[in-house]
Amino acid sequence: MTAKIADFLRDSRPATPCLVLDLDVVADNYRSLTTALPSARVFYAVKANPAPAILALLVEAGSSFDCASIPEIDMVLDAGATPDRISFGNTIKKESDVAAAFERGVRLFAFDCEAELDKISRAAPGSRVFCRILTSGEGAEWPLSRKFGCEPDMAEELLLAARFKGVEPYGVSFHVGSQQRDLAQYDAALEEVAGIFKSLSAKGLDLKMVNMGGGFATKYLVDIPTAEEYGRAIHESLLRHFGNRLPETIIEPGRGMVGNAGVIQSEVVLISRKSANDNRSWVYLDIGKFGGLAETMDEAIRYPIHSEHDGGETQDVILAGPTCDSADILYEHAGYQLPKALKIGDKVEIRAAGAYTTTYASNGFNGFAPLKEYYI
Ligand SMILES: Cc1ncc(COP(=O)(O)O)c(C=O)c1O
């Protein structure tokens, strides 16, 4: 937790649960990623956290933006970005939304099947299109496999067909899965993409761009590669597979841009046991799966949790949220321990919570308000 966040929590004593995010950390992350991958254009994945303060900072810093919907596009435009800095990267779009994006000046669109390509060619003629290929998602703590992308063979066919549909077949994209700590996954994906480039080049179509998506990790409980390590591995893979004909590259960091910048402060609502000889305490917080911690689904994302009792004797706990839904259990199998001294009314800090939290908070499930946010 940064000194700025600690000071804010101490001085302002905001009601909990709330997210406090240090914008200086976002600026640092942007600098690290652009330094590590100097030739890649950064398209911040707005879905990770679309707060106006973050978008304004990144507009000013020179970032471009990966948007999933018209409201995200409008937020980015409102923050001052021009439409040439926007990619409509969702592969699942209504045709009316493609048209609305086109009307706003967006000219870069993702697709992963013929029907989506047809929508773009009808509603956004002349635009640049890139085809997303499937990845295994192996190694990622929050995989994005199966649902998105197509097999490389199909990508080739669709990109060839795009030439005759009035759009510009511009490149190929992939996403190795979010919170991807295995750098070899980028290499495997780039090898496939290079194969597509080569094969299409032989058929007279020279693609220009590789969109390498996100995957850049945030430090939760275990160590992660540094931005330089991601950059070096990706650069080496690009050289290995593309030789001296390097394509334009794009990255779409979401989690890696904002995750470590935010802390959620929460209050312990209840601590209980289910029987006299129960060997684990249930610790119920004032935030759960429906309040912003949706990524605890299957205990996938494991947030570091701290309190003023850190360092004292600990005990095994099951952590849960405050709603009347038994799915609202955060960690039961992940082996969480919390200090024995922790008591009802204490505050806990859920760290590295700047990404994929505020927008996942439900709109009043059980009457609980969406997560409050402070950007400092
Ligand atoms: C198309 C696309 N790009 C980028 C991202 C951001 O990924 P990450 O948060 O792993 O950087 C996502 C996440 O869902 C995505 O769907």
Side-chain angles (χ1 to χ4, degrees), residues 91 93 95 111-122 158 165:
T91 51
K93 304 176 284 300
E95 189 164 331
F111 71 96
D112 67 359
C113 67
E114 187 171 13
E116 190 71 15
L117 176 60
D118 287 343
K119 286 184 213 166
I120 300 167
S121 59
R122 284 190 298 265
L158 293 173
K165 291 178 186 273

Side-chain angles (χ1 to χ4, degrees), residues 307-366:
S307 74
E308 61 174 319
H309 306 292
D310 280 6
E313 201 184 341
T314 59
Q315 60 179 346
D316 294 338
V317 297
I318 297 171
L319 273 150
T323 63
C324 302
D325 189 318
S326 57
D328 193 8
I329 294 173
L330 304 175
Y331 303 115
E332 187 171 9
H333 308 291
Y336 269 77
Q337 296 209 321
L338 286 175
K340 276 188 171 163
L342 194 70
K343 56 188 188 311
I344 293 170
D346 281 349
K347 299 280 193 281
V348 296
E349 289 148 17
I350 302 167
R351 300 214 181 143
Y356 304 114
T357 48
T358 56
T359 45
Y360 267 138
S362 74
N363 186 14
F365 182 51
N366 278 216

